[in-house]
Amino acid sequence: MSQKRISFPTLPAPLALARFAVAEDLRAAIGLWVGWLAGERRASAHTIAAYGRDLAFFLDFLTQHRGELPSLATINELRPADFRAYLAHRAQDRIERSSLARAMSVLRGFVRFVQRRGLASTTALAALRAPKLPQGIPKPLTIEDAIGSLDAVGDLASKDWQGKRDTAILALLYGCGLRLSEALGLSRAEAPLGEIVVITGKGGKQRLLPVLPAVRKAVADYLGACPHLLSGEGPLFVGARGGPLNPRLVQRQMTALRGFLNLPETATPHALRHSFATHLLDAGGDLRAIQELLGHASLSTTQRYTSVETERLLAVYEASHPRAHAGWTDQEGR
């Protein structure tokens, strides 16, 4: 059997890295899967490249594990022991459980795809449980630290217009609860200068968000100062040379803010989105409404913020209630 190399020439450039050796029939199936992810699922190029890497890791392992080039027939013959061996193999590399869980999710998705199209079938994955993940609790900033970050970030930039740009980005993260990718994905035509902005989030789902006057002003200030000509379909936020802004620059500015304002290590761009949700909940916001604002598909994801509120209330109790103090005794001396 001749060795084939998989590539995705019709898809964005990052996917050219997702290459691995498989049989011709499996190569064609992977091409269909990638096209489905990009078309029907509207997955981003970054997501598809990550999925491709996870699938490539597994198929490379199968080549060594079974001593043959993987094909659709190989998928039919898979047993739970094959997947357990793969998990053990990846665990030797000391990858995080979250990465293992994602890898298994990708494999389940791919197997489900080929099964639905009658290309291959296996029940081996049904016998396996995904690696158990600890339930993470969001780490928001305090109101003072969040506002302080917006006030200070402009002073860290080398040029005035870049400082206004960074201020506008953080204002969108904290004032509208955007993901960093959503803020940087806005085009000039989508600039949030009105009372409502339409955001396209994960899976191509759209949601309407109110835009606070302070956020609109920050965006307008940036547009007024930006020296580059921004086309309607081009990016709203640009770098020093006028190209799309790299998210790492925003992350670096947050790192600088941590040192400048003595913020905790958890102070990241995404922490401002957490802060948006937590501060709304603290002020009596409805959990369902916050779910809609954040664009969460599941309410259980939004409910993590109630854990933050519970922790805060317990901390207040520990600090202020007389029964929480060591040495407190009741009238009978107990």
Side-chain angles (χ1 to χ4, degrees):
M1 185 180 293
S2 63
Q3 184 167 309
K4 299 290 184 180
R5 303 292 293 180
I6 286 186
S7 62
F8 308 112
T10 61
L11 293 168
L15 298 182
L17 300 175
R19 297 178 180 176
F20 35 87
V22 293
E24 182 65 31
D25 59 350
L26 184 53
R27 178 178 185 269
I30 293 173
L32 291 174
W33 176 64
V34 170
W36 175 75
L37 288 173
E40 293 189 32
R41 290 292 302 275
R42 294 186 179 181
S44 68
H46 175 80
T47 296
I48 299 173
Y51 285 11
R53 285 192 294 271
D54 283 331
L55 184 59
F57 275 127
F58 178 66
L59 295 177
D60 284 346
F61 165 78
L62 279 185
T63 300
Q64 299 174 11
H65 181 62
R66 297 175 63 93
E68 62 181 6
L69 211 60
S71 65
L72 287 176
T74 307
I75 302 298
N76 288 326
E77 297 165 2
L78 289 175
R79 299 292 180 264
D82 295 315
F83 289 104
R84 292 193 185 100
Y86 173 64
L87 288 174
H89 174 74
R90 294 302 306 274
Q92 289 177 355
D93 297 332
R94 297 183 179 180
I95 66 172
E96 296 182 357
R97 282 186 293 175
S98 59
S99 297
L100 270 180
R102 188 193 71 181
M104 292 304 295
S105 177
V106 169
L107 293 181
R108 290 180 194 277
F110 176 71
V111 168
R112 196 159 49 237
F113 176 84
V114 295
Q115 284 178 336
R116 288 175 178 173
R117 281 152 183 79
L119 301 175
S121 180
T122 178
T123 59
L125 277 168
L128 294 181
R129 292 183 178 180
K132 196 168 185 179
L133 299 176
Q135 184 65 37
I137 296 177
K139 304 294 184 184
L141 302 178
T142 64
I143 294 176
E144 292 76 15
D145 284 346
I147 294 176
S149 297
L150 268 66
D151 290 340
V153 71
D155 298 330
L156 302 179
S158 58
K159 296 183 179 180
D160 180 67
W161 77 268
Q162 293 172 336
K164 292 181 185 298
R165 176 200 63 199
D166 297 344
T167 299
I169 293 171
L170 297 197
L172 284 167
L173 304 186
Y174 180 53
C176 295
L178 299 192
R179 301 175 178 92
L180 179 58
S181 60
E182 292 171 344
L184 299 188
L186 289 170
S187 68
R188 170 62 182 87
E190 297 169 324
L193 299 173
E195 296 182 355
I196 297 292
V197 63
V198 179
I199 295 297
T200 302
K202 290 184 176 181
K205 295 180 180 178
Q206 291 189 329
R207 64 188 191 276
L208 296 176
L209 296 177
V211 184
L212 297 170
V215 177
R216 299 200 298 267
K217 182 180 184 305
V219 174
D221 287 347
Y222 156 65
L223 288 174
C226 182
H228 300 288
L229 180 63
L230 304 178
S231 64
E233 297 305 314
L236 171 61
F237 296 110
V238 296
R241 297 182 179 180
L245 184 65
N246 192 316
R248 291 182 181 178
L249 188 145
V250 183
Q251 293 162 352
R252 284 201 300 268
Q253 292 301 78
M254 283 300 299
T255 300
L257 280 173
R258 291 203 295 268
F260 188 62
L261 299 177
N262 194 28
L263 301 177
E265 287 298 313
T266 54
T268 63
H270 203 65
L272 288 172
R273 173 174 157 88
H274 290 325
S275 304
F276 165 83
T278 303
H279 298 164
L280 281 180
L281 188 62
D282 286 350
D286 177 74
L287 199 61
R288 284 285 185 184
I290 295 173
Q291 176 192 1
E292 292 294 325
L293 292 172
L294 292 175
H296 286 161
S298 171
L299 184 62
S300 62
T301 305
T302 315
Q303 284 175 327
R304 293 183 304 157
Y305 293 101
T306 62
S307 299
V308 177
E309 174 67 1
T310 300
E311 283 195 351
R312 188 187 68 82
L313 291 175
L314 286 174
V316 171
Y317 172 82
E318 292 284 349
S320 59
H321 198 286
R323 295 197 68 171
H325 296 310
W328 182 90
T329 57
D330 60 20
Q331 292 180 352
E332 297 181 7
R334 290 195 298 268

